[in-house]
Amino acid sequence: MKKKTAITTAVGVVLFAALIIFDAVQPRFYSSSFFSMNTYCSAEVESKNPEKNLAEIQDIVEKLDLEILSRSAENSVVYNLNKNGESVLDAETSEYFSLLADISKQSGGAFDFTLGAVSDLWGFGTEPSVPDKTVLDDALSHSGYEKVALSGNKITLGDKNAVVDFGASGKGIALDSIRSYLDTQKIKRSVISVGGSVLLYGKGDFTVGIRDPKGSPSSIASIKTESTCVSTSGNYERYFEADGKRYHHILNPETGYPVENGLVSVTVISESGLLSDALSTACFVLGIEEGTALAEHYGAKVIFITDKNIIYTDSETESMLSVIDQNYRLAETE
Ligand code: AMP
Ligand code: MG
């Protein structure tokens, strides 16, 4: 009996020591970058096993793209929806669609996730050129978010030529999926960017830069914030020049042509990755006044930059901002 007690105690001591040693492993910082969802992604993680976390983060983005969001990966939900005009969705994907439909409606159609065929005609990312107006008008007549019907877990495209495209929101959805994963891990801090959308995760303050809309690698301003998502839509991300004119990838769903409203970049801050990404595109299309109202509706913060180098935002967001490049200045607030 005594021997048994001694063995039990010894095992207990060894286990306890092992636990102490395991816990003594200090969080380490590690970073990596990869290409997925047609864009550059980078990830920094501070945890006890950052290499494992980074590999799993990359898997999450790739899986989300291949299984759900990609327009080109056969068997993705979006691929099949575009091909067959209908699809059965799981609860999560159904939620993405209903939120996108809501943003489309609230933005009066300025945000439209069925513009895939119209975007394709411009060939951004492939062989860009100004499309023929008749062909463009025809593609436009087949698009329109109101043609998409969601009923329970079933989605139907009312026009078989409408093409669903998550180009304006997929990067943010990826951030939401990554955050759900990070919540299950012991992560101290993490910063993940998927294209122009960034997830800032963990305790304390973070500083994130707003890229120079003129294309230099430096930031023109920085934002100090706690854990959140920050997305920027800019006319410098995908564009081409023809006959001395610049054509960029954010389209006005009324005309099918790139938005020309004097904005060069719009940044949205929201706890939801999907909202930050979709709203940055929507607010770019809507312009300062209506964009501000839309962001407010969703409890998000928004920063507009014009081609005259003027930064527009509300006073609360202004207090989080520092202008770095002196060529830019904050608009006078009333
Ligand atoms: P982002 O970089 O997040 O602003 O998304 C831009 C991408 O969204 C484009 O490359 C298109 O695929 C798509 N897009 C363009 N215009 C619109 C629009 N008005 N509403 C929704 N998606 C759009
Ligand atoms: Mg977007």
Side-chain angles (χ1 to χ4, degrees), residues 7 85 102 106 108 116 122 162 170 184 186 202 241 269 280 293 296 307:
I7 291 170
D102 190 63
Q106 293 295 337
W122 287 96
T184 67
K186 286 190 172 148
E241 273 161 26
I269 307 168
S280 68
E296 215 172 275
D307 54 7

Side-chain angles (χ1 to χ4, degrees), residues 71 104 107 109-116 118-120 124 165-172 195-197 231-235 237-238 248-254 257-259 266 276-282 284-286:
R71 279 185 50 202
S104 298
S107 68
F111 183 86
D112 190 332
F113 60 99
T114 67
L115 285 179
V118 181
S119 283
D120 285 352
F124 297 107
D165 167 35
F166 274 73
S169 57
K171 301 169 286 299
S197 292
S231 293
T232 299
S233 287
N235 68 356
E237 281 169 33
R238 284 173 207 258
H248 67 92
H249 69 143
I250 303 170
L251 304 174
N252 178 347
E254 278 177 17
Y257 282 82
V259 173
V266 175
S276 72
D277 192 1
L279 290 178
S280 68
T281 314
F284 194 110
V285 182
L286 282 176

Side-chain angles (χ1 to χ4, degrees), residues 15 18 26 42 60 81 87 99 169 173 194 257 259 298 314 332:
L15 274 177
Q26 289 302 309
S42 70
I60 289 168
L81 174 61
S87 188
L99 194 46
S169 57
I173 291 173
V194 180
Y257 282 82
V259 173
Y298 289 102
D314 61 280
E332 311 289 326

Side-chain angles (χ1 to χ4, degrees), residues 134-175:
T134 323
V135 181
L136 190 69
D137 285 346
D138 182 60
L140 204 57
S141 73
H142 292 292
S143 63
Y145 75 93
E146 67 290 343
K147 291 178 178 146
V148 177
L150 263 170
S151 164
N153 63 349
K154 199 170 170 214
I155 184 163
T156 317
L157 298 183
D159 186 319
K160 67 176 174 45
N161 291 320
V163 178
V164 165
D165 167 35
F166 274 73
S169 57
K171 301 169 286 299
I173 291 173
L175 297 185

Side-chain angles (χ1 to χ4, degrees), residues 35-51:
F35 192 84
S36 185
M37 285 192 162
N38 258 331
T39 192
Y40 289 96
C41 308
S42 70
E44 298 170 5
V45 171
E46 192 179 351
S47 73
K48 289 185 178 174
N49 194 349
E51 292 85 353

Side-chain angles (χ1 to χ4, degrees), residues 6-326:
I7 291 170
T8 316
T9 313
V11 170
V13 168
V14 170
L15 274 177
F16 185 64
L19 274 176
I20 290 178
I21 290 167
F22 182 74
D23 214 51
V25 175
Q26 289 302 309
R28 286 177 296 118
F29 177 87
Y30 199 72
S31 66
S32 72
S33 55
F34 56 98
F35 192 84
S36 185
M37 285 192 162
N38 258 331
T39 192
Y40 289 96
C41 308
S42 70
E44 298 170 5
V45 171
E46 192 179 351
S47 73
K48 289 185 178 174
N49 194 349
E51 292 85 353
K52 170 182 160 280
N53 297 137
L54 287 168
E56 288 172 353
I57 287 166
Q58 184 170 347
D59 278 354
I60 289 168
V61 182
E62 284 169 357
K63 204 162 162 240
L64 177 73
D65 195 37
L66 278 181
E67 293 180 2
I68 302 178
L69 305 180
S70 169
R71 279 185 50 202
S72 56
E74 288 188 27
N75 296 326
S76 83
V77 171
V78 168
Y79 179 89
N80 281 312
L81 174 61
N82 286 333
K83 191 172 160 217
N84 306 323
E86 57 178 29
S87 188
V88 175
L89 309 172
D90 64 22
E92 216 171 357
T93 314
S94 190
E95 249 174 59
Y96 303 152
F97 274 106
S98 55
L99 194 46
L100 292 187
D102 190 63
I103 297 168
S104 298
K105 199 167 152 205
Q106 293 295 337
S107 68
F111 183 86
D112 190 332
F113 60 99
T114 67
L115 285 179
V118 181
S119 283
D120 285 352
L121 289 174
W122 287 96
F124 297 107
T126 52
E127 278 179 41
S129 65
V130 180
D132 178 85
K133 172 107 173 53
T134 323
V135 181
L136 190 69
D137 285 346
D138 182 60
L140 204 57
S141 73
H142 292 292
S143 63
Y145 75 93
E146 67 290 343
K147 291 178 178 146
V148 177
L150 263 170
S151 164
N153 63 349
K154 199 170 170 214
I155 184 163
T156 317
L157 298 183
D159 186 319
K160 67 176 174 45
N161 291 320
V163 178
V164 165
D165 167 35
F166 274 73
S169 57
K171 301 169 286 299
I173 291 173
L175 297 185
D176 289 332
S177 301
I178 293 167
R179 186 184 21 229
S180 301
Y181 160 75
L182 294 177
D183 283 343
T184 67
Q185 306 289 308
K186 286 190 172 148
I187 306 284
K188 210 170 163 203
R189 264 167 93 88
S190 182
V191 176
I192 315 279
S193 36
V194 180
S197 292
V198 188
L199 165 66
L200 307 159
Y201 183 94
K203 293 208 171 73
D205 283 338
F206 294 82
T207 302
V208 61
I210 298 180
R211 270 191 63 185
D212 178 3
K214 296 196 172 68
S216 84
S218 47
S219 299
I220 60 113
S222 68
I223 304 167
K224 196 171 167 192
T225 172
E226 293 183 342
S227 175
T228 194
C229 292
V230 181
S231 293
T232 299
S233 287
N235 68 356
Y236 54 88
E237 281 169 33
R238 284 173 207 258
Y239 69 91
F240 66 93
E241 273 161 26
D243 306 323
K245 202 170 144 62
R246 174 189 281 222
Y247 297 93
H248 67 92
H249 69 143
I250 303 170
L251 304 174
N252 178 347
E254 278 177 17
T255 62
Y257 282 82
V259 173
E260 282 186 63
N261 57 7
L263 290 176
V264 289
S265 133
V266 175
T267 298
V268 170
I269 307 168
S270 165
E271 279 176 26
S272 154
L274 186 154
L275 280 180
S276 72
D277 192 1
L279 290 178
S280 68
T281 314
C283 292
F284 194 110
V285 182
L286 282 176
I288 297 172
E289 204 172 311
E290 289 180 77
T292 301
L294 184 74
E296 215 172 275
H297 174 82
Y298 289 102
K301 298 183 166 72
V302 59
I303 301 158
F304 300 89
I305 304 180
T306 70
D307 54 7
K308 303 274 183 298
N309 296 3
I310 301 175
I311 305 170
Y312 289 83
T313 191
D314 61 280
S315 53
E316 193 193 333
T317 314
E318 195 176 312
S319 66
M320 300 161 69
L321 257 186
S322 305
V323 179
I324 299 167
D325 184 333
Q326 296 314 313

